[in-house]
Amino acid sequence: MSTAAIAADGRGSSIPDPEYRDLLASVTEWVEGPGEEWADRIETGGTVPDALWKELREAGFLSLAAPAELGGRGLSFVQWMGLMEVFSRSHASVRMIVHVVNGTWRAMNPHADEVQRRKFVLPSVAGDLVVAFTLTEPGNGTGADITSSVRRVGDTYYLTGRKHLITFGVRCDYWLLFARLEGTSGSAGTVALLVDRHAPGVEVEDTSQTMGVRGTDHASLAFRDTPVPVADRLGAEGDGLSIALGGFLTPSRISVAMSCVGLAQRAQQLAVDHALERTTFGKPLAARQAIAFALAENAADIEAARALTLHAASAWQDGVPDAGSLSSMAKLTAVDMLTRVTDKALQVHGGIGYWKTAPIERVYRDARAQRFEEGTNEIQKTVIARGILRQAQGPRADAAPADPSAASAARL
């Protein structure tokens, strides 16, 4: 299988509409049935059991977004967003698993040689290999100011540095890790490495005690002269940051935006059900104008964010030049929408919604996490503003990085 024969990012794939509708119904049935049972188990135990990973893998839910040539289902990106919308109504850890596993291959595949494709990409798409995206560091931002470094001795890099907030960094098989050549600065000296989870010279600290998204493991990592074969480097020396922020970040931001839409839909559903069932002073809550207006505002908010997210998804799928700016607009809009919707949904529940026995309590906690995924609101605003100003300047625009994640602004 040659590199040229593979659609690197899957944008040319799609499945027939009847097949897609059947798949959408199957995912919805799982989310509303077994998915709810898994949610209770995750919240009770605080971890995602291996059996859930196995169930998701065997159902084919971990290989939906990749092209058929890589062993995936071959969905278009817009089709995949329709499924993400449904998955996101489930427990946040379920959403996180399908989001990450169905996206990490996008960073690897365009830069992998045939050996790397067989060793890393195909097993990742199949769900047999968990690859954790490993960029963020504790002492600086998430881009050109990374300080984790490697020195090369023959056919081996020796890695030294720290990473933190790494999703699935404990249970993964490899870290897709971004560092820089010793003595370099800026983006020119960065490298993308696939680092074996069990390589020597690594300390892994489980930092999974979070406000929400319970069960999704997160790690803090320390490397001291950890050996990494040069053969496990993606792309060339100097390509690291472009691999991290190129074909991965834009679709991932759109996916996070759609996850906000799905979770908001779940919050709205819980609020509507409660408003219809709860009676005060002889009338259901839904009959009270203040409650009805809150539900109406939520519905409009959700639809607006959904429309913008699908617009961004179509733009990225079609290769539209401003897809990056649209992805940031979608994420900015969707996370703010989710904050408003979940707050009103909790208010509709009254005091009972504050107890852990109420499903809205978990939804409310989980909603806060999306504000940090793939860049804060401040990052998104900077991306959008740069796009606006670059377009206004036309040919006079300089070559400033399109995404502030590639500069010190990432520490916001």
Side-chain angles (χ1 to χ4, degrees), residues 283-304:
K283 295 172 63 175
L285 287 179
R288 303 187 183 281
Q289 189 180 70
I291 299 299
F293 279 9
L295 297 175
E297 290 165 356
N298 277 358
D301 229 357
I302 292 168
E303 287 301 319

Side-chain angles (χ1 to χ4, degrees), residues 201-255:
V202 185
E203 294 181 11
V204 179
E205 178 187 0
D206 190 332
T207 56
S208 299
Q209 297 304 309
T210 52
M211 177 190 297
V213 199
R214 287 172 57 84
T216 300
D217 80 73
H218 296 83
S220 179
L221 312 172
F223 302 90
R224 179 173 297 177
D225 280 337
T226 299
V228 184
V230 172
D232 290 348
R233 183 194 70 219
L234 291 174
E237 292 182 347
D239 288 346
L241 210 58
S242 64
I243 292 172
L245 305 176
F248 175 79
L249 189 61
T250 294
S252 190
R253 281 177 173 163
I254 298 168
S255 184

Side-chain angles (χ1 to χ4, degrees), residues 133-222:
F133 194 83
T134 309
L135 177 62
T136 306
E137 298 183 352
N140 39 263
T142 328
D145 59 341
I146 58 174
T147 56
S148 294
S149 64
V150 294
R151 57 185 177 85
R152 182 170 177 173
V153 180
D155 292 332
T156 303
Y157 290 115
Y158 290 91
L159 168 66
T160 298
R162 298 186 64 87
K163 299 288 184 179
H164 79 156
L165 305 180
I166 306 304
T167 306
F168 306 131
V170 177
R171 71 172 300 137
C172 68
D173 300 292
Y174 282 87
W175 296 293
L176 175 53
L177 184 143
F178 302 91
R180 66 173 55 262
L181 298 172
E182 195 173 55
T184 67
S185 61
S187 61
T190 57
V191 292
L193 306 174
L194 283 150
V195 183
D196 193 317
R197 164 69 175 80
H198 301 290
V202 185
E203 294 181 11
V204 179
E205 178 187 0
D206 190 332
T207 56
S208 299
Q209 297 304 309
T210 52
M211 177 190 297
V213 199
R214 287 172 57 84
T216 300
D217 80 73
H218 296 83
S220 179
L221 312 172

